[in-house]
Amino acid sequence: TGFVLSQLDLSQVVSKASPQVHVAGARRDEPIAIVSMACRFPGGVEEPEALWSLLSRGEDAITEVPPLRFDIDAIFDPDPDATGKTYTRWGGFVGDVTRFDASFFGISPREAKSIDPQERLLLESTWELFERAGIVPSELSGSDTGVYIGISGNEYLGLSGMDLNDADAYSILGTTHSAVAGRISYWLGLE
């Protein structure tokens, strides 16, 4: 995996956009800046400095499936054609996704258990990036701030053991990726 960070001139970006965006963007000629970062990656990486260290040492963050995740012995088969099985015991696993402080984010315990771990990690890392930048999140309330998220993998509802017949508003909201940016925006008081 490679990471390329470059400084972009905002006027170049908006000149290719719609005329309305161009007019608004023409007032700003400052470059886009990354003011803070937070991350969670396999290999125990829970901060940008650890990611850089892992990459610069050329280390591999792939490990055997942790027992906390699932019983690999129950689904492993060395035959790649075996139906309903996996032929690998290895993968890239982010740390303990069960340690989520739901009350910190104003989420009830009942709702928290239905929230996809990806969303939990996004909430935690969002808070961390504000801490790292020295920004008080409540100061963003009502500001012109946007939340943009790339998220994938939609298997948590099925993997959580919840019967789809028992699904409720929390389980649907907590596993619907389209709602993640909205939850973070709501939590921050963005409009």
Side-chain angles (χ1 to χ4, degrees), residues 114-134:
S114 296
I115 296 176
D116 187 316
Q118 294 178 98
E119 187 170 337
R120 297 179 205 164
L121 292 172
L122 277 166
L123 284 164
E124 291 172 346
S125 58
T126 300
W127 178 261
E128 182 184 319
L129 74 86
F130 287 122
E131 278 186 322
R132 294 173 68 85

Side-chain angles (χ1 to χ4, degrees), residues 9 26 53 77-78 85 95 100 127-128 140 156 158 160 164 169 171 174 177-178 188 191:
D9 183 350
S53 178
D77 191 313
K85 301 288 184 175
F100 175 64
W127 178 261
E128 182 184 319
L140 294 174
Y156 182 68
S160 67
L164 292 179
S171 56
H177 292 161
S178 60
L188 293 171
E191 298 171 7

